[in-house]
């Protein structure tokens, strides 16, 4: 497994990371035994960065990872944890809380659930409009100084917020959606990251499965699958978007790889400062994703990919309308 450094000040991590959210029911029921086996397979393949959030099934994901990581050398992997998103006992979200006292409270819970004495990268899941980012980052900096956190990250914020946060403490990386069908970061955010020496951890590289090559036409999200509320998976939008996947499949077949591998490789090829996260829930999907990091895309390949899926070609917002206002950039 190749290695990449997250920004100028961040840790050296595997060039491909594992996103664990789907192991806690975000895309419908997940198999606990298979999820743990997938984490083990990722580690054995050289993946070191594992991403989670304390609100993924309200701690379930952290407890699952604690079980999967038990007995492993703590220096052999890195944990990236998001915090601050408020939930109720049902499916509803209750906003964000990134006050300094909340930062420390959330961190204490995560350390306990994960069974660790430190978090490698700790980040607010979204910008709290009621709390200046300087106060939030300042509180995490205190936890860095105390040894509970190694690096500070951000998630889904705009260029101006990145600059303000970085002025308080060096930011290792920004976690944000980036894929062939989500390219808004390229306009302003990505140039700002590169100016400041901040890495980009890209989630949603397969568009939550939409551009994986595994979402069949006519398929509908099942119970508990949040994609049932996604504009990109609804009605005429999904038909249009799957036509883009068909065009991408032709490029993949000519390259001798799968659609998913091509989509992951495209993100990885955008720069050494970009690290793709794959949300594999099974060993089968992980095994498909891993070879993408060895896929060499030529200038001709990239041109064919751009022709198949031009910028802004996808239809539908990447989140339901109620969530779009909390994002630093759009689609």
């Amino acid at each position: 497994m190749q290695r990449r450094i997250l920004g100028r000040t961040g840790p050296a991590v595997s060039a491909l990371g594992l996103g664990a959210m789907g192991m806690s029911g975000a895309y419908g029921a997940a198999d606990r035994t298979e999820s743990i086996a997938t984490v083990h397979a990722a580690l054995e393949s050289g993946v070191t960065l594992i991403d989670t959030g304390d609100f993924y099934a309200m701690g379930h994901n952290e407890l699952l990872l604690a079980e999967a990581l038990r007995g492993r050398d703590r220096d052999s992997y890195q944990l990236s944890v998001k915090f601050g998103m408020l939930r109720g006992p049902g499916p509803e979200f209750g906003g964000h809380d990134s006050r300094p006292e909340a930062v420390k409270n959330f961190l204490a819970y995560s350390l306990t659930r994960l069974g660790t004495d430190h978090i490698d990268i700790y980040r607010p899941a979204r910008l709290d409009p009621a709390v200046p980012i300087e106060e939030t980052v300042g509180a995490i900096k205190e936890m860095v100084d105390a040894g509970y956190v190694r690096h500070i990250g951000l998630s889904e914020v705009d260029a101006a917020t990145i600059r303000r946060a970085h002025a308080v403490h060096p930011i290792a990386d920004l976690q944000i959606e980036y894929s062939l069908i989500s390219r808004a970061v390229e306009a302003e955010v990505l140039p700002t990251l590169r100016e400041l020496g901040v890495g980009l951890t890209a989630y949603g590289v397969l568009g939550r499965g939409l551009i994986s090559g595994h979402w069949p036409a006519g398929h509908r999200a099942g119970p508990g699958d949040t994609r049932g509320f996604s504009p990109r998976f609804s009605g005429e939008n999904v038909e249009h978007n799957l036509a883009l996947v068909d065009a991408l499949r032709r490029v993949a077949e000519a390259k001798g790889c799968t659609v998913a591998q091509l989509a992951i490789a495209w993100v990885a090829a955008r720069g050494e400062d970009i690290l793709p996260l794959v949300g594999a829930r099974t060993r089968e999907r992980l095994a498909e994703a891993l070879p993408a990091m060895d896929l060499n895309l030529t200038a001709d390949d990239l041109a064919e990919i751009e022709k198949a899926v031009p910028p802004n070609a996808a239809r539908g917002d990447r989140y339901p309308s109620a969530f779009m206002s909390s994002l630093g950039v759009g689609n």
Side-chain angles (χ1 to χ4, degrees), residues 38-51:
T38 302
V39 173
H40 291 169
L43 293 170
E44 288 156 11
S45 70
V47 172
T48 65
L49 182 68
I50 303 175
D51 180 76

Side-chain angles (χ1 to χ4, degrees), residues 13-39:
V13 299
S14 54
L16 185 72
L18 178 66
M21 182 181 74
M23 297 178 181
S24 292
Y27 301 136
D31 184 286
R32 186 179 188 86
T33 300
E34 180 62 24
S35 295
I36 291 173
T38 302
V39 173

Side-chain angles (χ1 to χ4, degrees), residues 41-106:
L43 293 170
E44 288 156 11
S45 70
V47 172
T48 65
L49 182 68
I50 303 175
D51 180 76
T52 184
D54 63 8
F55 52 91
Y56 290 171
M58 299 313 297
H60 174 278
N61 203 241
E62 291 180 319
L63 292 169
L64 176 72
L65 289 178
E67 182 177 347
L69 296 169
R70 190 169 296 128
R72 300 269 174 171
D73 179 358
R74 183 62 183 87
D75 292 330
S76 67
Y77 61 88
Q78 297 95 12
L79 289 169
S80 166
V81 179
K82 293 181 291 295
F83 71 90
M85 193 169 286
L86 304 178
R87 297 285 302 270
E92 69 275 6
F93 283 83
H96 311 91
D97 188 354
S98 294
R99 295 169 299 141
E101 55 269 38
V103 169
K104 299 168 185 177
N105 179 76
F106 289 134

Side-chain angles (χ1 to χ4, degrees), residues 206 208-217 219 227 233 242 245-246 249 258-261 264 282 284-289:
L206 296 178
R208 297 171 179 79
L210 182 58
I211 58 171
S212 68
H214 299 300
W215 190 273
H219 179 68
R227 291 172 292 192
F233 285 84
L242 288 178
V245 178
D246 287 338
R249 182 176 283 108
T258 69
V259 175
Q261 288 165 352
I264 296 167
T282 65
E284 180 183 6
R285 290 290 181 256
L286 175 68
E288 180 185 16

Side-chain angles (χ1 to χ4, degrees), residues 234-267:
S234 65
E236 295 181 356
N237 287 348
V238 72
E239 294 178 13
H240 169 86
N241 295 333
L242 288 178
L244 299 176
V245 178
D246 287 338
L248 193 62
R249 182 176 283 108
R250 290 190 285 272
V251 181
E253 289 173 351
K255 187 68 177 174
C257 64
T258 69
V259 175
Q261 288 165 352
L262 192 67
I264 296 167
W266 180 88
V267 174

Side-chain angles (χ1 to χ4, degrees), residues 39-323:
V39 173
H40 291 169
L43 293 170
E44 288 156 11
S45 70
V47 172
T48 65
L49 182 68
I50 303 175
D51 180 76
T52 184
D54 63 8
F55 52 91
Y56 290 171
M58 299 313 297
H60 174 278
N61 203 241
E62 291 180 319
L63 292 169
L64 176 72
L65 289 178
E67 182 177 347
L69 296 169
R70 190 169 296 128
R72 300 269 174 171
D73 179 358
R74 183 62 183 87
D75 292 330
S76 67
Y77 61 88
Q78 297 95 12
L79 289 169
S80 166
V81 179
K82 293 181 291 295
F83 71 90
M85 193 169 286
L86 304 178
R87 297 285 302 270
E92 69 275 6
F93 283 83
H96 311 91
D97 188 354
S98 294
R99 295 169 299 141
E101 55 269 38
V103 169
K104 299 168 185 177
N105 179 76
F106 289 134
L107 176 60
Y109 278 107
S110 285
L111 291 170
T112 300
R113 284 190 292 252
L114 287 164
T116 185
D117 62 357
H118 71 277
I119 303 298
D120 297 280
I121 312 170
Y122 200 52
R123 68 182 85 241
R126 296 289 186 271
L127 182 66
D128 184 342
V131 181
I133 191 63
E134 291 86 352
E135 293 184 13
T136 302
V137 172
I140 305 175
K141 178 182 182 301
E142 290 181 27
M143 299 295 93
V144 171
D145 294 340
Y148 297 115
V149 172
R150 296 285 171 83
H151 303 278
I152 302 178
L154 298 172
S155 177
E156 288 287 357
V157 296
D158 61 16
T161 302
I162 296 165
R163 291 185 185 279
R164 290 169 54 196
H166 194 69
V168 176
H169 186 278
I171 301 300
D173 72 319
L174 170 72
Q175 187 177 116
I176 197 164
E177 188 165 355
Y178 188 32
S179 72
L180 276 166
I181 59 171
S182 295
R183 298 180 61 172
V185 298
E186 294 175 347
E188 187 177 5
V189 169
L190 187 53
T192 300
L193 296 176
R194 287 175 169 162
E195 175 193 338
L196 299 175
V198 177
L200 189 154
T201 299
Y203 76 88
V205 294
L206 296 178
R208 297 171 179 79
L210 182 58
I211 58 171
S212 68
H214 299 300
W215 190 273
H219 179 68
R220 293 184 179 276
D225 190 333
T226 57
R227 291 172 292 192
F229 303 99
S230 170
R232 287 186 173 171
F233 285 84
S234 65
E236 295 181 356
N237 287 348
V238 72
E239 294 178 13
H240 169 86
N241 295 333
L242 288 178
L244 299 176
V245 178
D246 287 338
L248 193 62
R249 182 176 283 108
R250 290 190 285 272
V251 181
E253 289 173 351
K255 187 68 177 174
C257 64
T258 69
V259 175
Q261 288 165 352
L262 192 67
I264 296 167
W266 180 88
V267 174
R270 305 305 284 176
E272 290 291 321
D273 53 350
I274 297 174
L275 185 145
L277 286 177
V278 293
R281 297 192 292 167
T282 65
R283 285 168 287 180
E284 180 183 6
R285 290 290 181 256
L286 175 68
E288 180 185 16
L290 290 170
M293 302 312 294
D294 296 320
L295 195 60
N296 179 40
L297 298 182
T298 66
D300 288 343
D301 293 332
L302 294 170
E304 288 300 312
I305 292 169
E306 291 272 340
K307 189 184 301 182
V309 187
N312 303 313
R315 288 184 185 171
D317 288 335
R318 57 192 178 98
Y319 280 97
S321 58
F323 291 89

